[in-house]
Coordinates of all heavy atoms in Angstrom, one line a residue:
A1402 N -3.7 16.6 8.0 CA -2.8 15.6 8.8 C -1.9 14.9 7.9 O -0.7 14.7 8.2 CB -3.7 14.7 9.6
T1403 N -2.4 14.5 6.7 CA -1.7 13.7 5.8 C -0.6 14.4 5.1 O 0.5 13.9 4.7 CB -2.6 13.0 4.7 OG1 -3.7 12.4 5.4 CG2 -1.9 12.1 3.8
I1404 N -0.7 15.7 4.9 CA 0.4 16.5 4.4 C 1.2 17.3 5.4 O 2.0 18.1 5.1 CB -0.1 17.5 3.2 CG1 -1.2 18.4 3.7 CG2 -0.4 16.8 2.0 CD1 -1.4 19.6 2.8
G1405 N 0.9 17.0 6.7 CA 1.7 17.6 7.8 C 1.4 19.0 7.9 O 2.4 19.8 8.3
L1406 N 0.2 19.5 7.7 CA 0.0 20.9 7.8 C -1.1 21.3 8.8 O -1.8 22.3 8.7 CB -0.4 21.5 6.4 CG 0.7 21.6 5.4 CD1 0.1 22.2 4.1 CD2 1.8 22.5 5.9
L1407 N -1.3 20.4 9.8 CA -2.3 20.7 10.9 C -1.8 21.9 11.6 O -0.6 22.1 11.8 CB -2.4 19.5 11.8 CG -3.2 18.3 11.4 CD1 -3.1 17.2 12.3 CD2 -4.7 18.7 11.2
P1408 N -2.7 22.8 12.1 CA -2.3 23.9 12.9 C -1.6 23.4 14.2 O -1.8 22.3 14.7 CB -3.6 24.7 13.2 CG -4.7 23.8 12.8 CD -4.1 22.7 11.9
G1409 N -0.9 24.3 14.9 CA -0.2 24.0 16.1 C -1.0 23.6 17.2 O -0.6 22.9 18.2
T1410 N -2.3 23.9 17.2 CA -3.2 23.6 18.3 C -3.8 22.2 18.2 O -4.5 21.7 19.0 CB -4.4 24.5 18.3 OG1 -5.0 24.6 17.0 CG2 -4.0 25.9 18.7
A1411 N -3.4 21.5 17.1 CA -3.9 20.2 16.8 C -3.0 19.1 17.3 O -1.8 19.3 17.3 CB -4.1 20.0 15.3
R1412 N -3.6 18.0 17.9 CA -2.8 16.8 18.2 C -3.3 15.6 17.5 O -4.5 15.4 17.4 CB -2.9 16.5 19.7 CG -2.3 17.6 20.7 CD -0.8 17.5 20.6 NE -0.2 18.6 21.3 CZ 0.1 19.8 20.7 NH1 -0.2 19.9 19.4 NH2 0.6 20.8 21.3
A1413 N -2.4 14.9 16.8 CA -2.8 13.7 16.0 C -2.2 12.5 16.6 O -1.1 12.5 17.1 CB -2.4 13.9 14.6
S1414 N -3.0 11.4 16.6 CA -2.4 10.1 17.0 C -2.8 9.0 16.0 O -3.7 9.2 15.2 CB -2.8 9.8 18.4 OG -4.2 9.5 18.4
G1415 N -2.2 7.9 16.1 CA -2.4 6.8 15.2 C -1.2 6.7 14.2 O -0.1 7.1 14.6
Q1416 N -1.5 6.3 13.0 CA -0.4 6.1 12.0 C -0.9 6.6 10.7 O -2.0 6.4 10.3 CB 0.0 4.7 11.9 CG 0.9 4.1 12.9 CD 1.5 2.8 12.5 OE1 0.8 2.0 11.8 NE2 2.7 2.4 12.9
I1417 N 0.1 7.3 10.0 CA -0.2 7.7 8.6 C 1.0 7.1 7.8 O 2.0 7.8 7.7 CB -0.4 9.2 8.3 CG1 -1.5 9.7 9.2 CG2 -0.6 9.5 6.9 CD1 -1.8 11.2 9.0
M1418 N 1.0 5.9 7.4 CA 2.1 5.3 6.7 C 2.1 5.6 5.3 O 1.1 5.3 4.6 CB 2.1 3.7 6.9 CG 2.2 3.2 8.3 SD 3.8 3.8 9.2 CE 5.0 2.9 8.2
F1419 N 3.1 6.3 4.8 CA 3.2 6.7 3.4 C 4.6 6.2 2.9 O 5.6 6.6 3.4 CB 3.1 8.2 3.2 CG 3.3 8.7 1.8 CD1 2.3 8.5 0.8 CD2 4.5 9.3 1.4 CE1 2.5 8.9 -0.5 CE2 4.7 9.7 0.1 CZ 3.7 9.5 -0.8
E1420 N 4.5 5.3 1.9 CA 5.7 4.7 1.3 C 6.7 4.3 2.4 O 7.9 4.6 2.4 CB 6.3 5.6 0.3 CG 5.4 5.9 -0.9 CD 5.9 6.8 -2.0 OE1 6.9 7.5 -1.7 OE2 5.3 6.8 -3.0
G1421 N 6.2 3.6 3.4 CA 7.0 3.0 4.5 C 7.4 3.9 5.6 O 8.1 3.5 6.5
Q1422 N 7.0 5.2 5.6 CA 7.3 6.1 6.7 C 6.0 6.6 7.4 O 5.0 6.8 6.7 CB 8.0 7.3 6.1 CG 9.5 7.1 5.7 CD 10.1 8.3 5.0 OE1 9.5 8.8 4.1 NE2 11.2 8.8 5.6
D1423 N 6.1 6.7 8.7 CA 4.9 7.2 9.4 C 5.0 8.8 9.4 O 5.9 9.4 10.1 CB 4.9 6.7 10.9 CG 3.7 7.2 11.6 OD1 2.9 7.9 11.0 OD2 3.5 6.7 12.8
L1424 N 4.1 9.4 8.7 CA 4.2 10.8 8.5 C 3.9 11.6 9.8 O 4.3 12.7 10.0 CB 3.2 11.3 7.4 CG 3.3 10.7 6.0 CD1 2.4 11.3 5.1 CD2 4.8 10.9 5.5
L1425 N 3.2 10.9 10.7 CA 2.9 11.6 12.0 C 4.1 11.8 12.9 O 4.2 12.6 13.7 CB 1.8 10.8 12.8 CG 0.4 11.0 12.3 CD1 -0.5 10.2 13.3 CD2 0.0 12.4 12.2

Side-chain angles (χ1 to χ4, degrees):
T1403 308
I1404 51 164
L1406 288 180
L1407 283 172
T1410 52
R1412 292 288 168 272
S1414 69
Q1416 276 191 333
I1417 302 181
M1418 297 302 293
F1419 174 74
E1420 296 181 345
Q1422 288 175 302
D1423 185 357
L1424 302 185
L1425 282 185

